[in-house]
Structures are given as C-alpha cells and as structure tokens.
Amino acid sequence: QVQLVESGGGSVQAGGSLRLTCAPRAIYSPYMAWFRQAPGKEREGVATIDNTGSSTYADSVKGRFTISRDNPKNILYLQMNSLKPEDTAMYYCAADCPPNYWGQGTKVTVSS
C-alpha cells in the first residue's frame, strides 16, 4: 500500500521554472530522491536528500535545481529553475537509497 504521488509537472519555455511535489503515503524514508527519464533514454538520478537535509545533485542540474523536504507533512519537493530543453523528461520520486519505492511520474516539457 506504499504510494508515492508526484505532481507539478507541465510545459514551460526555456528559462522557466517548475516545482515538483512528491506526497508519500504509508511510508516515511530518511532517504528520498528524484529521478528522470527522457524518451528513449535510461532513467537517471537527479537529486537526493536525507533526513538531515543533506543533498546531492547530478552535474547537469547543479545550481539550477533544489531538492527539499517538509518532514512534518512528509512531502518532497524539487524546485527547478532555468529550465533547459534537455530537462524534458518524466520525473519520478523515489524512497530509500538505493530506491525501493517509486512514483508513477510527472511529465516536464521544456520548449526551445
């Protein structure tokens, strides 16, 4: 009955911003992450965060994306700024490191 529900995706122009939300149900994990998968490509890690707020980022998004979490509400966020067309992908929330649980994804499209 564990469920991770992502939201906040959409279509934006290059340079725009989006904030993704992951709302876990029936789970709390000290380790959470965002992954993404572009059409025809393998899933890749985007950012991770632990229970203390310590985070890591893929080089491709460093300086543009910020991962955060609201522990009392058990919500995970991904703030995405200065979006580029190459950021276009399905974005997935994941719990545990390495992940044991995955959301269904939210689509992000960045136009040129």
Side-chain angles (χ1 to χ4, degrees):
Q1 61 180 315
V2 171
Q3 187 176 3
L4 305 177
V5 181
E6 303 101 332
S7 62
S11 181
V12 298
Q13 294 183 328
S17 298
L18 286 172
R19 187 176 75 161
L20 306 184
T21 298
C22 172
R25 297 179 63 182
I27 187 175
Y28 175 82
S29 174
Y31 303 99
M32 300 291 292
W34 287 98
F35 288 74
R36 67 185 182 186
Q37 186 170 24
K41 297 184 178 180
E42 296 297 314
R43 186 172 297 184
E44 64 174 346
V46 175
T48 68
I49 189 168
D50 68 13
N51 59 305
T52 73
S54 180
S55 59
T56 68
Y57 297 91
D59 288 341
S60 59
V61 307
K62 193 171 299 182
R64 300 187 298 120
F65 291 10
T66 302
I67 188 171
S68 62
R69 64 192 300 171
D70 184 336
N71 287 325
K73 296 181 179 180
N74 195 27
I75 296 176
L76 178 72
Y77 301 99
L78 183 67
Q79 179 66 46
M80 306 186 295
N81 298 325
S82 301
L83 283 162
K84 304 175 180 179
E86 50 263 46
D87 295 318
T88 295
M90 286 290 293
Y91 283 72
Y92 300 90
C93 176
D96 296 344
C97 184
N100 289 312
Y101 304 98
W102 297 85
Q104 293 301 305
T106 184
K107 186 178 181 180
V108 172
T109 301
V110 185
S111 60
S112 301

